[in-house]
């Protein structure tokens, strides 16, 4: 070990880090040299873009529970990291960014690529961002950045001037005033509320006649406990988007998603409940929660900052979701009257019939809902699902039934475009034996996804199971925003901003040595999934979809209906298609199951 960079890499290894994601540059060359020398200890995963690297580090944290590490050069490379780092911050994931900087002798001289990185990263890495100016700092910077990222579930940042990277390593500074000696290791504590608060929470839940549960990302890993509590309380369970894998969708009392991308059963349950139990969720949209004063509330969250944030709860329980629910169970009384639960289960059964009917409606050429509906029953055991922001998230949220053992994620808090493909790559790198499926719109695919295919082409032959499928919704439209323009703003589609140029996704995949499947007819969907999920190399499905299929919210307000109709009168270029598809989708809600079969 000779340089501070060598010591930094060794210290990462001592913390259990086995891979970092990034892109090189002269501002970080010293660390790259150290990674090369220690490539058997810590693998460097080269991304096509620093933003992709930050998304991969976030996904690493989401799918492993470990700290994610991303690395970039100074100035422009560091700036590119920001969006992916904000994704990690807003989804409460532990990620450490290691970034280069110009030489200390040049700082303050308006030098090329000199950016005030401490100021730039002060928001995204607000819990810890520091620059090394002395080799003896490396130990404490690494130790604190990783420990704080893990403990606070957040982003931290280490800035390394390129001259400091090449200085002789100091593994243990002189024992004198002004030095500090940090150590390795972090063990997450068991966090449980006190018994008095648990009793108060149980009293409220036992008194409720119509209990609704909402679970989020903080409830991942607590599926058994959620099911037991829901059974005791006769409750239905709605899921925030990041909590999709918190409990299986095939349970009869699980109402599915909530919010604009949610389901009618979830909406109706929240509007009618008299008691709300929120577990590990920061779901932000108050209009989809009970009205203030309608329901008594209990919330469980590991972070005290998230307690009482979305609804005025009577009891706020700071604690781990699994442990807190387990502690609550002995205090709960099983409700004898199951009328509320039976009503929820009836609504859920009818909703899945509606979803099937909507998915099977004809479109031009393909109804995007059918792609997800056909996939749902074919999902491999133990698979990992990733999704991008956009209309793909609507169908991901509503049409896919997640089963036990699966993992699933997307960008929740930031809801940014582009993480779908890098999330899938990181999932596959860390779980090479598990099938991975990404669902991405053509807008996100052109923004970053097609470059991610190059990363896949570079790495897939090293995976023990090369099964990775990327579904591209090719509708040549920035579809989610197009519908938001119509419904939220009452404006017709603005073709100049919304049209996406044609691109041959399947053929491009084939050029890279991957498999490509192009779909132009609904009859091709089921066979395509069968082929793709059995393929011996990564597959890109290029599905030509109808942009006029509306992502109907679970409840249409007067203002939304008014805005939609206003957009039609303003001469929407897709007028005929959206009127036809909207009518079909809404009619499917009212048709009985037998009537739909006859048709």
């Amino acid at each position: 070990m000779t340089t501070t960079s060598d010591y930094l890499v060794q210290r990462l290894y001592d913390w259990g880090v086995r891979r970092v994601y990034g892109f090189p540059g002269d501002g970080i060359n010293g660390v790259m040299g150290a990674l090369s020398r220690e490539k058997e200890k810590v693998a460097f995963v080269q991304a096509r873009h620093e933003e992709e690297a930050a998304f991969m580090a976030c996904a690493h944290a989401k799918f492993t529970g470990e700290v994610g590490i991303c690395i970039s050069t100074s100035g422009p490379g560091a700036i590119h990291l920001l969006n992916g780092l904000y994704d990690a911050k807003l989804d409460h994931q532990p990620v450490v960014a290691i970034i280069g900087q110009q030489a200390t002798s040049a700082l303050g001289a308006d030098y090329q690529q000199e950016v005030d990185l401490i100021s730039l990263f002060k928001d995204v890495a607000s819990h810890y961002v520091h620059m090394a100016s002395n080799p003896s700092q490396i130990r404490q910077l690494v130790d604190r950045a990783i420990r704080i990222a893990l403990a606070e579930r957040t982003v931290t940042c280490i800035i390394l001037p390129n001259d400091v990277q090449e200085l002789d390593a100091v593994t243990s500074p002189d024992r004198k005033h002004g030095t500090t000696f940090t150590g390795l290791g972090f063990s997450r504590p068991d966090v449980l509320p006190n018994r008095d608060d648990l009793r108060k929470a149980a009293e409220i839940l036992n008194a409720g006649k119509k209990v609704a549960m909402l679970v989020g990302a903080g409830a991942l890993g607590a599926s058994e406990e959620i099911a037991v509590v829901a059974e005791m309380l006769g409750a239905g369970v709605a899921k925030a988007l990041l909590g999709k894998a918190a409990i299986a969708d095939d349970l009869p009392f699980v109402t599915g998603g909530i919010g604009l991308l949610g389901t009618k059963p979830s909406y109706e349950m929240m509007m009618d409940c008299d008691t709300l139990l929120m577990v590990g969720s920061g779901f932000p949209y108050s209009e989809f929660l009970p009205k203030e004063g309608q329901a008594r509330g209990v919330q469980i969250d590991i972070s005290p900052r998230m307690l009482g944030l979305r609804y005025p709860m009577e009891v706020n329980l700071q604690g781990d979701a699994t442990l807190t629910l387990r502690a609550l169970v002995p205090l709960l009384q099983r409700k004898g009257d199951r009328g509320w639960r039976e009503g929820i289960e009836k609504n859920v059964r009818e909703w899945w019939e509606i979803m099937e009917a909507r998915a099977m409606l004809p479109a031009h050429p393909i109804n995007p809902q059918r792609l997800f509906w056909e996939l749902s029953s074919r999902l491999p055991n133990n698979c990992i699902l990733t999704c991008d922001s956009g209309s793909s998230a609507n169908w991901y949220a509503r049409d896919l039934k997640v089963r036990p053992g699966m993992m699933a994620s997307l960008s929740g808090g930031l809801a940014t475009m582009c993480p779908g493909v890098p999330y899938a790559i990181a999932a596959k790198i860390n779980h090479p034996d598990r099938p991975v499926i990404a669902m991405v719109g053509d807008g996100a695919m052109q923004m970053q996804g097609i470059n991610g295919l190059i990363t896949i082409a570079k790495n897939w032959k090293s995976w023990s199971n090369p099964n990775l499928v990327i579904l591209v919704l090719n509708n040549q439209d920035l579809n989610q925003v197009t519908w938001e323009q119509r419904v939220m703003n009452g404006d017709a589609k603005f073709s100049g901003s919304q049209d996406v140029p044609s691109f041959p996704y399947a053929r491009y995949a084939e050029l890279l040595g991957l498999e490509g499947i192009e779909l132009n007819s609904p009859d091709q969907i089921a066979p395509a999934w069968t082929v793709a999920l059995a393929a011996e190399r990564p597959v890109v499905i290029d599905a030509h979809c109808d942009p006029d299929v509306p992502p109907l919210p679970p409840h249409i307000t007067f203002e939304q209906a008014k805005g939609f109709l206003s957009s039609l009168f303003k001469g929407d270029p897709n007028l005929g298609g959206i009127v036809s598809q909207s009518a079909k989708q809404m009619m499917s809600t009212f048709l009985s199951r037998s009537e739909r079969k006859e048709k």
Side-chain angles (χ1 to χ4, degrees), residues 347-404:
N347 289 343
V348 170
R349 287 193 301 271
E350 292 176 352
W351 176 256
W352 284 119
E353 292 174 3
I354 290 169
M355 286 293 94
E356 181 178 15
R358 288 182 181 177
M360 296 305 167
L361 289 170
H364 303 286
I366 289 174
N367 181 343
Q369 294 165 107
R370 185 164 178 176
L371 292 160
F372 291 74
W373 185 264
E374 297 280 8
L375 169 62
S376 188
S377 61
R378 296 174 172 83
L379 287 173
N381 292 331
N382 214 35
C383 69
I384 302 175
L385 305 173
T386 71
C387 187
D388 224 294
S389 298
S391 62
S392 57
N394 287 283
W395 322 129
Y396 160 88
R398 292 180 183 156
D399 289 90
L400 291 183
K401 291 185 177 182
V402 170
R403 303 193 304 274

Side-chain angles (χ1 to χ4, degrees), residues 72-388:
S72 83
T73 187
S74 58
I79 293 166
H80 282 166
L81 285 176
L82 285 173
N83 193 52
L85 293 178
Y86 272 104
D87 180 46
K89 179 180 180 177
L90 270 64
D91 281 357
H92 309 287
Q93 297 303 313
V95 170
V96 177
I98 300 172
I99 53 181
Q101 176 59 294
Q102 297 307 302
T104 53
S105 57
L107 296 180
D110 195 20
Y111 203 75
Q112 185 186 36
Q113 295 190 339
E114 181 189 353
V115 173
D116 183 355
L117 295 176
I118 292 179
S119 297
L120 182 67
F121 280 75
K122 193 60 181 176
D123 181 57
V124 73
S126 56
H127 281 77
Y128 193 79
V129 51
H130 284 282
M131 182 176 73
S133 57
N134 188 299
S136 62
Q137 290 177 272
I138 298 300
R139 174 172 158 183
Q140 72 191 45
L141 291 178
V142 173
D143 291 352
R144 296 208 70 211
I146 292 179
R147 185 176 287 110
I148 291 170
L150 288 168
E152 301 292 340
R153 292 179 169 87
T154 194
V155 174
T156 59
C157 177
I158 301 170
I159 302 165
L160 299 172
N162 57 34
D163 56 338
V164 175
Q165 295 172 38
E166 301 286 1
L167 294 176
D168 290 342
V170 176
T171 60
S172 183
D174 294 337
R175 188 173 179 271
K176 62 181 182 181
H177 188 72
T179 58
T180 187
F181 296 82
T182 56
L184 299 167
F186 172 78
S187 178
R188 195 170 300 284
D190 290 343
V191 181
L192 266 173
N194 66 59
R195 289 201 60 81
D196 285 343
D197 286 338
L198 287 168
R199 278 194 291 268
K200 291 176 186 176
E203 288 171 4
I204 292 170
L205 297 172
N206 289 333
K209 298 184 185 304
K210 299 185 290 184
V211 182
M213 294 179 65
L214 171 59
V215 302
L220 294 172
S223 58
E224 292 183 13
E225 290 75 13
I226 294 168
V228 169
V229 170
E231 173 60 25
M232 295 284 290
L233 298 175
V237 181
K239 301 190 286 187
L241 202 52
L242 286 173
K244 185 171 180 66
I247 189 167
D249 284 299
D250 55 5
L251 294 171
F253 55 85
V254 174
T255 62
I258 189 173
L260 288 170
L261 279 59
T263 72
K264 188 177 180 183
S266 291
Y267 180 82
E268 292 179 341
M269 179 176 69
M270 290 296 167
M271 295 304 103
D272 295 337
C273 71
D274 64 12
T275 309
L276 173 64
L277 172 58
M278 187 183 293
V279 184
S281 175
F283 176 74
Y285 302 125
S286 60
E287 66 269 30
F288 292 96
L289 296 176
K291 293 178 182 178
E292 186 173 7
Q294 169 194 320
R296 304 180 73 183
V298 173
Q299 185 177 358
I300 300 168
D301 205 289
I302 193 72
S303 171
R305 295 181 59 182
M306 302 304 293
L307 292 170
L309 180 63
R310 306 304 187 195
Y311 191 81
M313 302 290 179
E314 285 190 50
V315 178
N316 290 293
L317 302 175
Q318 182 188 359
D320 173 85
T322 301
L323 298 177
T324 304
L325 290 173
R326 284 179 189 167
L328 264 178
V329 168
L331 305 176
L332 298 178
Q333 300 165 3
R334 188 181 190 278
K335 298 191 185 299
D337 183 353
R338 311 304 280 186
W340 169 249
R341 165 68 80 87
E342 290 167 0
I344 289 170
E345 293 183 358
K346 177 177 178 290
N347 289 343
V348 170
R349 287 193 301 271
E350 292 176 352
W351 176 256
W352 284 119
E353 292 174 3
I354 290 169
M355 286 293 94
E356 181 178 15
R358 288 182 181 177
M360 296 305 167
L361 289 170
H364 303 286
I366 289 174
N367 181 343
Q369 294 165 107
R370 185 164 178 176
L371 292 160
F372 291 74
W373 185 264
E374 297 280 8
L375 169 62
S376 188
S377 61
R378 296 174 172 83
L379 287 173
N381 292 331
N382 214 35
C383 69
I384 302 175
L385 305 173
T386 71
C387 187
D388 224 294

Side-chain angles (χ1 to χ4, degrees), residues 406-466:
M406 296 179 181
M407 291 193 287
S409 197
L410 40 54
S411 176
L414 189 60
T416 179
M417 293 174 69
C418 297
V421 173
Y423 271 29
I425 298 169
K428 198 67 187 176
I429 288 173
N430 285 285
H431 303 282
D433 57 321
R434 298 178 68 163
V436 176
I437 304 164
M439 292 142 277
V440 184
D442 50 2
M445 201 64 189
Q446 290 189 18
M447 191 181 287
Q448 278 279 14
I450 54 177
N451 296 320
L453 297 182
I454 302 172
T455 305
I456 293 170
K458 179 181 179 182
N459 290 281
W460 73 268
K461 292 181 181 178
S462 66
W463 300 335
S464 55
N465 172 7

